[in-house]
Amino acid sequence: MAETTLRSIADLVAQGLVSEEETTRLDAVAERYAIALTPTVRALIDPTDPHDPIAAQYIPSSAELIDHPAERLDPIGDHPHSPVEGIVHRYPDRVLLKLVHVCPVYCRFCFRREMVGPQGDGNLAGERLKSALDYIAANTGIWEVILTGGDPLILSPRRLRDVSERLSAMDHVKVLRIHTRVPAVDPERITAVMVEALTLSGKSVILALHANHPRELTPDVRAACRRLIAGGVLLVSQSVLLKGVNDDADTLTALMRGFVETGVKPYYLHHPDMAPGTGHFRLSIADGQALMRELRTRISGICIPHYILDLPGGHGKVALGEDAVRDLGDGRYAIRDRKGEEHVYP
């Protein structure tokens, strides 16, 4: 089993994850998009299963070279809403702070795949970081700062402590949110020192854990989540609805229950973004809505995430839940229940 992160097609061949015959096709993918699988991820993959849902998320496919006309290099419109480098200010009360553009793993469906990786947009440091933090300090309507990237928890606790301390001096910033894969793909990085660095600011700290399949919630991952919770971090989830990975009610039920059992509140289930070369992961919105209806018949409301679409072009997130209310025009409403049946409400 791998003891270091796998970063090339040759590494994947050596681990028996792809065949020698595939290397020519996959080398072309690797030239365009970064590869990284941590030992934790490698241990979850069954190389004998051609439809392994963990492998599908991380091992390159020649399908990534197929671009569709609707796909965009910047699918959710980060760049038009970036007033200074490292900041995305799309909503009035919150900003993204993109500290780093590398990740411990590279998801094959990543919506920022054109920006992340060793050849990506680089890290935010020095005067560039100062400019981004100055922007937050000057805009007192910013209530929440969201650390993203790349994956901010790939940084050292020292770097994270520095940012946390600088944000702590801004009275108007009340919430620090971190979007990350790290607890699920490299749980040993979640040390007491890391947790202290994140919570030093005195702000409310929320960590959005990205996982897409229940097999990712291993005992080590759950233990890492418990360390964060014990340190005062509130955990919520984010997942992407992916064809061939989690697009069935059984898998989503197990995933959402697994989150809740781990102390993670299900938050977002993203419809796949229009990132280049990701068409093989996308399913229709109608299929996603049908899955959400099925979930509501199976599991507790505490397990139900928001099914959302980040509109292309930077127009923001839209809930994809079906409208359950129809105005009948005479003071009465037709309300659709979780089984799709309508009832008149006076």
Side-chain angles (χ1 to χ4, degrees):
M1 199 63 68
E3 296 182 359
T4 60
T5 295
L6 309 177
R7 300 188 181 276
S8 68
I9 300 300
D11 289 342
L12 299 180
V13 171
Q15 287 289 310
L17 298 175
V18 300
S19 67
E20 289 278 3
E21 293 74 22
E22 296 176 277
T23 56
T24 301
R25 292 183 295 113
L26 296 182
D27 281 341
V29 179
E31 288 176 8
R32 183 170 177 181
Y33 302 119
I35 297 169
L37 288 75
T38 60
T40 295
V41 168
R42 169 62 188 94
L44 291 176
I45 294 174
D46 178 1
T48 67
D49 180 1
H51 304 294
D52 184 84
I54 309 300
Q57 296 181 61
Y58 299 105
I59 294 179
S61 162
S62 57
E64 295 176 56
L65 298 175
I66 302 171
D67 291 340
H68 295 268
E71 293 174 343
R72 306 183 181 203
L73 300 181
D74 181 15
I76 67 168
D78 279 354
H79 289 155
H81 292 90
S82 184
V84 298
E85 185 179 357
I87 294 287
V88 178
H89 197 173
R90 184 179 289 109
Y91 304 101
D93 69 338
R94 56 203 182 275
V95 295
L96 302 183
L97 177 57
K98 298 198 284 188
L99 291 175
V100 62
H101 283 84
V102 294
C103 301
V105 294
Y106 291 105
C107 305
R108 311 322 303 171
F109 50 87
C110 178
F111 70 102
R112 290 198 179 115
R113 63 197 326 227
E114 300 287 345
M115 309 172 200
V116 301
Q119 308 302 319
D121 288 353
N123 297 343
L124 205 63
E127 285 301 312
R128 295 182 301 149
L129 176 58
K130 180 180 182 301
S131 294
L133 292 170
D134 286 347
Y135 178 88
I136 297 170
N139 286 268
T140 56
I142 296 173
W143 175 80
E144 180 181 25
V145 174
I146 302 166
L147 303 185
T148 183
D151 194 316
L153 293 197
I154 203 169
L155 295 172
S156 68
R158 179 188 62 80
R159 289 279 309 279
L160 291 166
R161 176 188 292 270
D162 174 62
V163 172
S164 184
E165 287 178 338
R166 291 157 86 169
L167 289 171
S168 72
M170 303 179 195
D171 290 340
H172 59 284
V173 175
K174 304 299 184 184
V175 177
L176 179 64
R177 195 196 322 171
I178 303 115
H179 281 227
T180 181
R181 270 281 210 181
V182 163
V185 302
D186 195 4
E188 293 181 358
R189 288 187 67 86
I190 307 301
T191 62
V193 176
M194 174 72 82
V195 175
E196 182 190 21
L198 296 176
T199 56
L200 182 69
S201 66
K203 312 296 183 184
S204 292
V205 180
I206 301 169
L207 186 142
L209 171 65
H210 185 161
N212 297 314
H213 195 276
R215 272 170 45 199
E216 296 177 80
L217 301 178
T218 65
D220 286 345
V221 171
R222 294 180 187 229
C225 291
R226 286 194 291 272
R227 291 195 291 273
L228 287 159
I229 293 167
V233 179
L234 173 66
L235 300 187
V236 299
S237 77
Q238 61 171 1
S239 305
V240 182
L241 184 57
L242 299 166
K243 185 184 293 185
V245 174
N246 57 16
D247 60 330
D248 65 273
D250 287 343
T251 300
L252 287 177
T253 294
L255 175 62
M256 297 305 156
R257 284 177 172 168
F259 281 138
V260 172
E261 292 162 8
T262 306
V264 181
K265 173 65 182 78
Y267 180 42
Y268 276 160
L269 179 63
H270 293 266
H271 193 77
D273 293 311
M274 287 288 180
T278 62
H280 54 298
F281 286 113
R282 283 196 293 274
L283 66 167
S284 72
I285 288 175
D287 287 341
Q289 289 173 327
L291 281 168
M292 289 301 296
R293 285 196 301 273
E294 178 67 15
L295 279 187
R296 284 191 288 271
T297 70
R298 288 178 173 228
I299 56 178
S300 166
I302 200 69
C303 298
I304 301 293
H306 300 288
Y307 178 38
I308 62 161
L309 171 68
D310 226 324
L311 280 171
H315 299 291
K317 295 181 177 67
V318 175
L320 293 178
E322 292 178 297
D323 189 358
V325 181
R326 185 165 58 89
D327 190 345
L328 298 176
D330 57 359
R332 298 180 306 145
Y333 298 86
I335 311 293
R336 187 164 47 249
D337 68 16
R338 61 194 176 94
K339 297 180 180 178
E341 298 175 0
E342 284 193 334
H343 306 267
V344 175
Y345 180 80

